[in-house]
Structure formats: structure tokens, C-alpha cells
Amino acid sequence: MNRIFISCCLLVLLAGCGSSSTETEIVSQTLQHETIKIPDLLLGSPGGIQKMGDGLLIMDYKSDSMFHYVNLKQKKYVGQFGAKGQGPDEFIHPTSLQPYDDKTVCGYDVMKQEIKMMEWDSLNNRMKSSTVKKWTDAWSFDVIPYGQDQFVGNGCFNDSMFAIFDNQGVPVDRAGEYPYKDENERKISVFNRALAYQGTIRVTPKGRLAFATMCAKMLFLYEIRDRHLVRNKVVIDRYADYKPDYSGGQASYSVVHNGKLPVCYRDLSVTESRIYALYSGRSFKDYGLAEWECGYIYVYDWAGNRLALYQLDLPLLCFCVDEQSGIIYGIANNPEPTLVCFPLPQS
């Protein structure tokens, strides 16, 4: 099952996705980028970026190691960390980087089914990594440590999108049915619908959960209350346009999206008051693989109200928002992968 799940994820990531256009929506402000010049920082295929300590941790799928660390105060490249491989505390393919606290970032390695914790050791000027837990559920897309011996996951848990697990990996609550626009889509296997509606999950320290889909323009907002998932709001602007792919046989699951329609939400950054959603709006038909470059940031509150729509003068591959310093950090192709920042507008 694990091998099937991984191959299906790759098929989803290489396809175009359906969403509504931003052309008729009012842009609140256009943000101008500034390049952060870091000597010796060479990026291959960035997969995520998060603030960690006094710097930024950048995930790179094509470098010798999994992560780069940049000291923002000194504007200095510290080095590469996180060996790639099958060994203990090594990495193969983390799905995303999740902020955990000021000094710590976590990530779920989908290929090894392990939850990793990365912490910056300022005394020795290096990153420390450890495996928090070995997972057993092959249909977990992302798993985040939360609270005391709890984990929050996005995946396919029976018919549910989300689950809370105890320290033994046993689900204590499930929530969220995978979307369907009509009865025809409802008849599609839940495993195929799970692949069609993959996205990015984020959880705040107070237990607010946001999930935004890549191949449909949807935002799911939940709260964790006493080990239960409580739905607050689902913002649905457009369902996915896809077909199940049965070429691999009855024992495999995959989907093919309509490449004429635009990619939607590529990344999320959340605080206790706001959700920042990085949006593409580009299709594979018009942009090829540059469909994943995102030129917009939607801003919502936790009631699902849209507060702003920012247009970026340089599209981003991934980002994180530092509200305290008022800066948006990201990686952009300019033309090579480059570290940039934008001022966060005051409101």
C-alpha cells in the first residue's frame, strides 16, 4: 500500500488543477520583492521554508543534504544539514515543513513514514534532528505533533480527511469528508478523491487547523477542542476537475487533473488570527511546470472571511510569514531559485 500511495502522489503533483480565476477579484495591494543576497546559498528544488531561531530553514529536494540554514541577522549561509538516506534520523522525502516553536520545525517524511523534529542548536551553530515517531498508516499525507503526546494528520482515514492520534498512533477522532460536487463524484472511490484533494495542513499552538487544497480552490478551517476536531468553516470556490486513472490496475489509485485549469493553493502560513494562503492561478497548459509558481497571497481570518488579496511582483514557490517582523519570506525562480522577501502590509 505504501508504494501505491507514493506513486499516486507523484501523479497528482505533475498534473494541472481546477480553480476559479483571480482575474475578476479585487487585488488589495501589489507587493514588491527584495532579494536577500546570501553568498554560497545554492538551491536546487526548494520544497519549503520556515523561520527557525534567528534564521530560515529551507528544504531542498535536489541538494546533497535535505536542508539549508541561513542566518538572517548576519545574512550568512550557515550550511547544509539533514543527511539523505535510509539510516536513523536521515531523510528521503518530507512532505512539508511545519513550525513547532521559535527554535523548532517538524516534518513528516512520507517515504519513511517518520515524524521528524529539527531544532537549531545556537551554541554549536548546527541543526539537530531526531525521529519523534515511526508511523504505520500508509495513507497519511502529513502528520503534525500537537499538544501532549498527540498528533494531527491529513490523509485518508476511513472516509475522513483529518484525524487526531494518540501517542500509540491510534485515532481518537476523525473529521471531514472528502469533497464531491455531485453524485457522480461521490461514487468515486474515497482513495481517489483523497488524492484529488491533497493540500497543505497547518496547526497553530492553540489548536486552530487550516487546510488548503492544491487542485481545487477550497479552504477548510477546524479547531481542536478536548481531543476533538470541530469544523468552523469550509470556503469552497471551485471543485477539482479530474478523472480516476485505473491504468495501474485495481489495486492502485491515482487521478489525472485537467491541465487547462489553474493550480490553486500551494502553501500556507498561519497565526492565531490569520491564514495566509499562497495561490498560483496558473495552468499547465499555459505555463508548463511553472504552473507551481504562485503570484498571489489570500488572507483570511479564522471565520473564513477574506481580508485581503495581495499580488506579488515575483511569483513564489514556497513561503512563510513572520508577522512579528512584518516580513514575508519565500523562494522564487529569478531565474534560478532565489531567497526573497516582501513587506507584510499593515492593517
Side-chain angles (χ1 to χ4, degrees):
M1 178 66 77
N2 185 43
R3 184 177 302 170
I4 294 169
F5 160 68
I6 293 166
S7 65
C8 293
C9 283
L10 294 176
L11 283 173
V12 170
L13 291 174
L14 291 174
C17 307
S19 172
S20 57
S21 172
T22 61
E23 292 179 358
T24 59
E25 299 186 53
I26 298 175
V27 173
S28 305
Q29 190 174 339
T30 298
L31 307 184
Q32 305 295 322
H33 79 281
E34 177 183 337
T35 299
I36 302 177
K37 296 181 180 180
I38 306 292
D40 301 324
L41 174 63
L42 297 175
L43 301 173
S45 179
I49 182 172
Q50 288 294 338
K51 187 82 182 300
M52 188 170 78
D54 292 330
L56 295 169
L57 186 68
I58 303 170
M59 185 162 63
D60 190 345
Y61 293 125
K62 287 188 178 179
S63 68
D64 292 335
S65 298
M66 186 59 69
F67 304 104
H68 306 274
Y69 188 75
V70 171
N71 187 302
L72 289 172
K73 289 185 176 181
Q74 301 175 359
K75 289 192 175 181
K76 176 184 176 182
Y77 179 61
V78 180
Q80 297 187 41
F81 302 92
K84 294 181 178 180
Q86 295 282 359
D89 298 331
E90 294 182 341
F91 299 82
I92 298 179
H93 193 97
T95 52
S96 65
L97 294 177
Q98 303 281 348
Y100 189 75
D101 57 34
D102 291 341
K103 295 183 179 180
T104 311
V105 170
C106 59
Y108 179 65
D109 193 322
V110 67
M111 300 289 281
K112 298 182 72 175
Q113 293 179 231
E114 293 177 350
I115 302 169
K116 305 284 193 176
M117 197 74 75
M118 289 74 73
E119 182 179 0
W120 186 250
D121 181 356
S122 57
L123 182 63
N124 295 302
N125 205 34
R126 61 183 295 272
M127 187 190 82
K128 297 189 297 184
S129 64
S130 60
T131 300
V132 176
K133 189 170 183 60
K134 180 74 175 179
W135 214 243
T136 58
D137 191 326
W139 277 92
S140 294
F141 301 158
D142 205 351
V143 186
I144 306 168
Y146 171 77
Q148 185 66 32
D149 295 328
Q150 289 187 102
F151 302 87
V152 181
N154 163 239
C156 189
F157 312 118
N158 292 340
D159 292 335
S160 300
M161 300 174 65
F162 312 109
I164 296 177
F165 299 89
D166 63 18
N167 195 40
Q168 303 303 313
V170 177
V172 297
D173 192 30
R174 300 183 181 93
E177 184 178 9
Y178 274 100
Y180 53 88
K181 58 181 173 291
D182 53 32
E183 284 302 312
N184 287 332
E185 187 176 10
R186 189 179 188 181
K187 294 176 183 177
I188 295 174
S189 163
V190 66
F191 297 108
N192 278 320
R193 280 192 284 131
L195 293 172
Y197 289 95
Q198 288 186 77
T200 303
I201 185 173
R202 293 281 184 260
V203 180
T204 73
K206 292 185 178 180
R208 287 178 161 171
L209 182 154
F211 178 79
T213 51
M214 291 186 296
C215 298
K217 201 174 182 184
M218 296 183 179
L219 178 67
F220 298 79
L221 303 177
Y222 283 76
E223 284 188 34
I224 303 172
R225 299 178 189 168
D226 298 324
R227 296 165 67 90
H228 292 285
L229 288 160
V230 180
R231 192 179 83 170
N232 286 342
K233 182 80 172 183
V234 178
V235 181
I236 301 177
D237 292 323
R238 183 73 177 266
Y239 287 87
D241 185 357
Y242 66 98
K243 293 181 179 180
D245 178 14
Y246 300 110
S247 60
Q250 295 298 319
S252 66
Y253 299 94
S254 64
V255 297
V256 178
H257 288 270
N258 185 348
K260 296 180 181 179
L261 298 175
V263 169
C264 303
Y265 298 117
R266 176 75 189 273
D267 205 352
L268 276 179
S269 188
V270 300
T271 68
E272 298 295 349
S273 59
R274 295 189 177 189
I275 302 109
Y276 299 86
L278 188 63
Y279 179 82
S280 168
R282 295 180 169 193
S283 69
F284 180 80
K285 177 179 179 294
D286 294 332
Y287 289 90
L289 293 180
E291 64 175 340
W292 297 109
E293 299 179 19
C294 302
Y296 300 90
I297 295 175
Y298 282 88
V299 185
Y300 291 89
D301 64 19
W302 284 96
N305 301 307
R306 202 186 85 187
L307 305 178
L309 171 59
Y310 301 131
Q311 186 169 6
L312 308 176
D313 72 326
L314 185 65
L316 295 176
L317 298 167
C318 53
F319 83 139
C320 65
V321 178
D322 185 351
E323 280 192 340
Q324 186 172 359
S325 62
I327 298 175
I328 301 167
Y329 296 101
I331 306 295
N333 284 330
N334 194 27
E336 300 299 324
T338 305
L339 180 61
V340 300
C341 65
F342 296 83
L344 183 63
Q346 300 297 316
S347 60

